Amino acid sequence: MKTTYLIYKPQADGSVSLSVATCDEWADVAKANKQLPPEKRRYFILDHIMDGDDLDRMVIEAPFSEYQIWIRGYMADKRNREAGRILRHLSLDAKLFEQEGAETLLDVIPSKGSAEECAFEKMLMENLRSSLSAWKPWANDLLDAYLQGEKRACTERLAQKYGVSVQVIRKYKRQFEVFVKKFLEGVSF
């Protein structure tokens, strides 16, 4: 592995630019960095480049803002590598046993709900919405408000939307609640 050091060096014209440095020059900068306060330190990022079959390492001086971005990513990668040594990835579709018709991990992991319950709830909600639409034009707006936990907060808004008083909306709410209770009583679980 070949290591290349790029540090900011003063140029002949008085400007400062990234230039290739020797290992000793970089070591001097790193040694001097240890005595400096954080705001005056020079920061370096590390990059690896595949060159055919060889891996080249580059140590590049960078502004503090770029260094902060790089170090966050570097530390996250390091944590993931360390966790990868401890944890094992399993495919949910992989067969548990090498025999024909064997269960997969997905088949044996308990879940909080079943596909049947989810489908039933979706169908129930679709039927309720269609029944509400056929019953009254404002009923689905009330259902949305109730589902969002805005039973009381929606009164003013719906009164303005439908051009009625808040008392009329309160009456609509009572009618809505009776309708939904009757609808759910007719549903068999």
Side-chain angles (χ1 to χ4, degrees), residues 63-180:
F64 182 66
S65 59
E66 286 182 35
Y67 170 78
Q68 284 181 309
I69 294 167
W70 174 82
I71 197 70
R72 276 189 219 114
Y74 175 79
M75 295 306 289
D77 289 344
K78 183 179 176 185
R79 283 190 302 273
N80 290 338
R81 281 191 305 274
E82 289 170 359
R85 289 186 198 118
I86 300 167
L87 304 174
R88 189 169 156 205
H89 294 277
L90 297 173
S91 171
L92 294 176
D93 294 332
K95 302 268 187 216
L96 290 177
F97 308 103
E98 293 298 323
Q99 59 199 22
E100 193 70 29
E103 292 182 329
T104 64
L105 196 55
L106 188 61
D107 295 332
V108 296
I109 293 178
S111 66
K112 293 181 181 173
S114 70
E116 293 86 4
E117 287 176 13
C118 184
F120 177 76
E121 289 172 6
K122 185 175 179 182
M123 287 174 35
L124 178 67
M125 190 58 74
E126 288 173 358
N127 288 339
L128 177 59
R129 284 196 180 277
S130 64
S131 296
L132 288 172
S133 293
W135 177 58
K136 299 285 182 179
W138 43 261
N140 271 310
D141 286 337
L142 271 176
L143 177 63
D144 291 336
Y146 275 53
L147 290 174
Q148 293 171 1
E150 298 177 351
K151 178 181 176 180
R152 293 195 172 138
C154 72
T155 307
E156 202 61 48
R157 180 175 42 88
L158 290 176
Q160 289 177 350
K161 180 176 180 179
Y162 291 102
V164 295
S165 68
V166 292
Q167 289 81 9
V168 171
I169 294 297
R170 289 187 189 114
K171 184 176 107 180
Y172 287 175
K173 285 181 182 181
R174 289 189 295 273
Q175 292 173 357
F176 169 79
E177 290 172 5
V178 169
F179 182 89
V180 172

Side-chain angles (χ1 to χ4, degrees), residues 4-118:
T4 305
Y5 301 96
L6 294 175
I7 64 172
Y8 286 109
K9 287 184 178 179
Q11 302 299 310
D13 63 358
S15 65
V16 177
S17 66
L18 273 180
S19 303
V20 177
T22 65
C23 182
D24 292 334
E25 288 175 314
W26 181 79
D28 291 341
V29 170
K31 190 175 184 181
N33 247 2
K34 290 180 182 178
Q35 281 79 37
L36 296 173
E39 64 274 0
K40 297 205 180 208
R41 285 187 184 156
R42 297 168 75 174
Y43 292 92
F44 300 91
I45 60 175
L46 186 64
D47 195 11
H48 293 88
I49 300 168
M50 284 299 293
D51 184 22
D53 291 336
D54 296 328
L55 182 65
D56 290 342
R57 181 171 54 180
M58 298 204 55
V59 178
I60 307 164
E61 187 171 357
F64 182 66
S65 59
E66 286 182 35
Y67 170 78
Q68 284 181 309
I69 294 167
W70 174 82
I71 197 70
R72 276 189 219 114
Y74 175 79
M75 295 306 289
D77 289 344
K78 183 179 176 185
R79 283 190 302 273
N80 290 338
R81 281 191 305 274
E82 289 170 359
R85 289 186 198 118
I86 300 167
L87 304 174
R88 189 169 156 205
H89 294 277
L90 297 173
S91 171
L92 294 176
D93 294 332
K95 302 268 187 216
L96 290 177
F97 308 103
E98 293 298 323
Q99 59 199 22
E100 193 70 29
E103 292 182 329
T104 64
L105 196 55
L106 188 61
D107 295 332
V108 296
I109 293 178
S111 66
K112 293 181 181 173
S114 70
E116 293 86 4
E117 287 176 13
C118 184

